[in-house]
Amino acid sequence: MPDVAELQQQVEELQRQLQEEVGTLNQLIQVTTQLNSTLNLNELLQLIMTSAAELLHAETSSLMLVDEETQELTFEVATGEPGQEVVKYRVPPGQGIAGWVVENAKPLVIDNPSEDPRFYGTIDKSIGFETRNILAVPLIVKDRVIGVVEVINKRDAPGFSQKDLELAVALTNQASVAIDNTRMYARLADAVVTSRLSYRL
C-alpha cells in the first residue's frame, strides 16, 4: 500500500492537473468571447493564431485559406519568428500536410514531419526553419473546408498530445464560425453599399 506521503503527492499532482485544465478552459472561453467581438477579418485571423500558439504552447502557428480560384493554400497569418517570411508563400493544391488535411477534412498530428511523405519541406528549406512536430486542423464551414490551422513545435513536450488535438479542434470550430460570420458581414456590407450607389444613380 502507498504511504501517506505518496498519497499526498498523488493528490497534489491531480490538483495541479485539474488547475491546469481549468485554466486552459477559461482561456478557451475568453478566446471564444473575443472571436465574437470583431468583424475585421485580419484582426480575427491574427487573434485565432496568437491564441492557438499560446493555448497549445507552440513556437509558431499559421493559418492558411483555400484560394477559391486556384485551390492553392495561401498563408494569411503566421506567428512567431518565421511568421513574416512564411506569409510570402503559397502551397499547391493537395501538397503537404496542410493539403492532405484540406482534401481529407481530418486533423493530423505528426511527431517527425520530415520523415512523412506528405510533408512539404520547401518552405522550411527556404526560410531556414525546422519543423519538429506539427498539429494541423481543417477549418470547416457548412461541410466545406475553407482552410487549415497549423500549430508547430511544442515547447514543453516532445510532441502534441490527444488533449492538444481536442483543444485545437475546439478552437478551430469556433474560429470557422467566426470567419464565416465575418465574411457574410463583409458581403452584406458590400451589397448595401452597391444598392445605395445604384439607387443614387
Side-chain angles (χ1 to χ4, degrees):
M1 278 182 67
D3 59 24
V4 175
E6 275 184 75
L7 287 171
Q8 180 66 29
Q9 212 172 4
Q10 288 171 10
V11 168
E12 285 173 4
E13 178 59 22
L14 286 170
Q15 284 177 331
R16 187 195 64 76
Q17 286 176 8
L18 184 61
Q19 282 176 340
E20 201 175 282
E21 286 187 24
V22 169
T24 300
L25 284 172
N26 284 336
Q27 255 186 298
L28 188 57
I29 290 165
Q30 284 178 350
V31 170
T32 303
T33 305
Q34 287 178 292
L35 287 180
N36 294 317
S37 69
T38 180
L39 288 167
N40 180 307
L41 187 58
N42 289 335
E43 271 181 34
L44 180 66
L45 299 181
Q46 190 67 54
L47 174 62
I48 291 164
M49 295 327 299
T50 304
S51 303
E54 284 175 10
L55 277 168
L56 297 163
H57 307 285
E59 281 181 17
T60 182
S61 60
S62 61
L63 186 148
M64 291 169 266
L65 293 177
V66 177
D67 184 316
E68 295 296 331
E69 290 181 15
T70 65
Q71 295 304 302
E72 291 175 308
L73 281 165
T74 62
F75 282 90
E76 301 295 323
V77 180
T79 65
E81 205 176 313
Q84 289 183 335
E85 290 299 313
V86 166
V87 291
K88 299 173 186 174
Y89 290 88
R90 296 169 78 91
V91 177
Q95 291 289 305
I97 288 162
W100 186 94
V101 168
V102 168
E103 288 189 343
N104 293 273
K106 290 178 184 174
L108 270 182
V109 177
I110 298 174
D111 286 335
N112 197 349
S114 60
E115 292 182 6
D116 192 297
R118 293 168 293 192
F119 183 60
Y120 186 70
T122 306
I123 297 170
D124 270 20
K125 284 174 189 166
S126 300
I127 65 171
F129 182 76
E130 183 193 0
T131 301
R132 297 188 306 277
N133 42 65
I134 189 167
L135 189 161
V137 184
L139 285 159
I140 301 173
V141 173
K142 297 169 187 147
D143 297 325
R144 188 170 60 90
V145 180
I146 62 164
V148 182
V149 166
E150 285 189 337
V151 187
I152 297 162
N153 294 352
K154 181 83 172 174
R155 287 185 188 278
D156 50 7
F160 294 100
S161 66
Q162 182 62 31
K163 275 188 183 176
D164 289 330
L165 177 59
E166 288 165 10
L167 186 57
V169 169
L171 177 63
T172 51
N173 284 345
Q174 294 297 322
S176 298
V177 172
I179 291 169
D180 193 41
N181 288 343
T182 304
R183 284 175 160 180
M184 278 198 296
Y185 175 80
R187 285 195 293 270
L188 183 62
D190 286 346
V192 168
V193 170
T194 304
S195 67
R196 281 181 180 170
L197 285 171
S198 59
Y199 176 75
R200 283 177 187 170
L201 293 170

